């Protein structure tokens, strides 16, 4: 024990100084960390979970131009361009017809089908070479003195309490993380709408039913045909909040998708066993202020938009 305590490396790890300490190594924290490193700013990310847990999260699959431009600007867009599927448009379905919206013709821009999970992986893998330190498995993350000019955070790891002093703290720790809670309620306003429905999603290793996405407005509820690749599909149906995943067999879900997406999509739909099936409640949320003293919020800690509401911008 005595030897361990005398180890200078260990001392350095218990008390660390940096310019910006980011809480959360999801897409928002990783992207911010890389953007700061590209400006030569010393940055450390602390993450409560393990790398495998972070990469196991199912996230949306379509990136808009803002995001693909940022990856290119960072010089990290290589795999995205090699493996992603650029789309010029999408379809709206009304129960019978498919109506194509030509986004490229209307805006001059494409969207990119490349899972946010893949973006997360690319940003994680590039972190060491860019000098972006990520500390995983950091428990009990707490923010201190955010309204002073010497804020710091503490966390526990390997049975010890660690401290990072920083000029700024950035909360990229999602809707449930501790950062937003460090802003006193007396100065804060939260705007929130919880929708009376959720999205039941299925991921399956089957080819997509269309080469582009289909957003369906059906009297039985919304449905979305999306994809992760030419061999992996992602579908959603809107369901009531009291629905249980257990009540939705794969067969029932495929049947419902076929009805809502319409005959043309149904004819091309390939069914397969669910790799993942879950219900996501939908929320709109904006928190003010997004900056308080030396603390800044980014990503889902500051604002949430429901799917098909521009989340992939990371605005
Ligand atoms: C997905 C795609 C979308 O366009 C969207 O709005 C939400 C989710 C997806 O593929 O998961």
């Amino acid at each position: 024990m005595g030897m361990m305590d005398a180890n200078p490396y260990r001392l350095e790890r218990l008390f660390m100084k940096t310019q910006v300490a980011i809480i959360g190594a999801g897409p928002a924290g990783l992207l911010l960390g890389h953007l700061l490193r590209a400006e030569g700013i010393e940055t450390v990310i602390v993450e409560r979970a393990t790398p495998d847990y972070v990469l196991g999260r199912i996230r949306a699959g379509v990136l808009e131009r803002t995001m693909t431009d940022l990856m290119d600007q960072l010089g990290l867009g290589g795999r995205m361009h090699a493996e992603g599927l650029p789309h010029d448009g999408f379809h709206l379905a009304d129960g019978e017809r498919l109506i194509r919206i030509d986004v490229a013709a209307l805006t001059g821009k494409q969207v990119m089908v490349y899972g946010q999970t893949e973006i997360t992986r690319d940003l994680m893998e590039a972190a060491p070479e860019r000098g972006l330190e990520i500390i995983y498995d950091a428990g009990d993350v707490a923010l201190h003195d955010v309204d002073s000019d010497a804020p710091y955070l503490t966390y526990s790891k390997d049975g010890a309490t660690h401290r990072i002093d920083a000029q700024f703290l950035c909360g990229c720790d999602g809707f449930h993380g501790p950062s937003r809670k460090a802003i006193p309620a007396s100065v804060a306003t939260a705007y929130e709408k919880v929708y009376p429905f959720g999205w039941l999603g299925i991921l399956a290793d089957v080819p997509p039913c269309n080469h582009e996405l289909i957003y369906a407005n059906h009297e039985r509820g919304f449905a979305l045909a999306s994809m992760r690749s030419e061999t992996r599909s992602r579908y959603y149906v809107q369901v009531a909040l009291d629905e249980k995943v257990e009540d939705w067999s794969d067969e029932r879900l495929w049947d419902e998708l076929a009805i809502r997406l319409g005959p043309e999509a149904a004819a091309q739909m390939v069914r397969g066993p669910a790799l993942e099936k879950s219900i996501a409640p939908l929320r709109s949320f904006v928190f003010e202020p997004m900056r308080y003293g030396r603390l800044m919020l980014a990503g889902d800690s500051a604002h949430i938009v429901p799917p098909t509401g521009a989340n992939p911008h990371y605005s």
Side-chain angles (χ1 to χ4, degrees):
M1 253 338 257
M3 288 283 284
M4 286 271 284
D5 287 343
N7 181 337
Y9 174 73
R10 191 172 160 84
L11 279 175
E12 186 184 71
R13 303 298 302 185
L14 286 172
F15 302 99
M16 189 190 279
K17 260 192 193 327
T18 189
Q19 285 178 282
V20 179
I22 297 173
I23 302 110
L30 287 167
L31 182 61
L32 175 62
H34 275 286
L35 291 170
L36 291 170
R37 288 301 302 136
E39 299 292 329
I41 296 168
E42 265 182 59
T43 309
V44 176
I45 308 181
V46 291
E47 164 60 49
R48 180 183 55 149
T50 62
D52 282 350
Y53 180 88
V54 172
L55 285 175
R57 298 288 297 271
I58 305 267
R59 305 176 190 276
V62 181
L63 304 174
E64 292 179 47
R65 180 66 177 271
T66 319
M67 184 63 205
T68 56
D69 282 352
L70 280 172
M71 289 299 279
D72 287 336
Q73 192 185 310
L74 287 168
L76 297 176
R79 195 167 68 96
M80 175 182 77
H81 288 292
E83 296 177 18
L85 308 171
H87 282 187
D88 285 338
F90 62 88
H91 295 84
L92 297 176
D94 66 354
E96 290 167 33
R97 296 166 304 161
L98 290 184
I99 304 154
R100 183 162 188 274
I101 307 296
D102 191 334
V103 177
L106 291 167
T107 68
K109 292 176 183 171
Q110 293 178 313
V111 295
M112 178 71 87
V113 171
Y114 187 66
Q116 288 176 29
T117 303
E118 303 309 316
I119 289 283
T120 307
R121 181 187 296 280
D122 294 341
L123 294 172
M124 279 167 79
E125 285 180 357
E129 77 207 31
R130 302 285 171 101
L132 175 61
E133 182 166 3
I134 310 173
I135 299 163
Y136 288 97
D137 270 322
D140 309 315
V141 173
L143 296 83
H144 307 271
D145 297 351
V146 296
D147 54 354
S148 78
D149 57 7
Y152 65 99
L153 59 82
T154 52
Y155 63 93
S156 56
K157 187 176 162 88
D158 303 330
T161 299
H162 301 247
R163 169 173 170 152
I164 303 179
D165 288 275
Q167 290 168 26
F168 293 94
L169 305 182
C170 289
C172 301
D173 47 351
F175 184 71
H176 299 284
S179 297
R180 195 177 60 249
K181 293 169 193 131
I183 299 180
S186 56
V187 302
T189 313
Y191 304 89
E192 185 169 25
K193 180 173 171 64
V194 178
Y195 296 89
F197 47 76
W199 278 17
L200 168 62
I202 181 171
L203 186 70
D205 272 335
V206 293
C209 66
N210 192 291
H211 70 285
E212 292 174 341
L213 270 62
I214 304 172
Y215 297 86
N217 177 18
H218 195 277
E219 59 190 16
R220 295 168 70 98
F222 174 81
L224 166 58
S226 182
M227 65 190 77
R228 292 291 173 272
S229 68
E230 274 154 0
T231 55
R232 180 169 285 191
S233 299
R234 177 74 167 158
Y235 290 92
Y236 300 93
V237 291
Q238 173 189 335
V239 295
L241 273 183
D242 56 6
E243 292 273 0
K244 302 262 171 298
V245 180
E246 303 77 60
D247 294 333
W248 285 86
S249 65
D250 292 359
E251 219 42 45
R252 180 181 172 203
L253 184 45
W254 290 118
D255 287 344
E256 189 65 28
L257 282 162
I259 296 169
R260 295 193 195 181
L261 292 169
E264 198 179 327
Q268 298 299 319
M269 206 170 77
V270 182
R271 300 178 180 216
L275 299 172
E276 195 265 355
K277 195 163 44 174
S278 58
I279 296 178
L282 303 192
R283 183 194 307 273
S284 291
F285 174 75
V286 179
F287 186 83
E288 281 183 337
M290 293 182 192
R291 174 180 179 174
Y292 176 75
R294 295 296 186 93
L295 169 63
M296 290 170 206
L297 305 179
D300 284 6
S301 73
H303 44 47
I304 292 195
V305 288
T308 311
N311 204 19
H313 283 300
Y314 297 131
S315 51

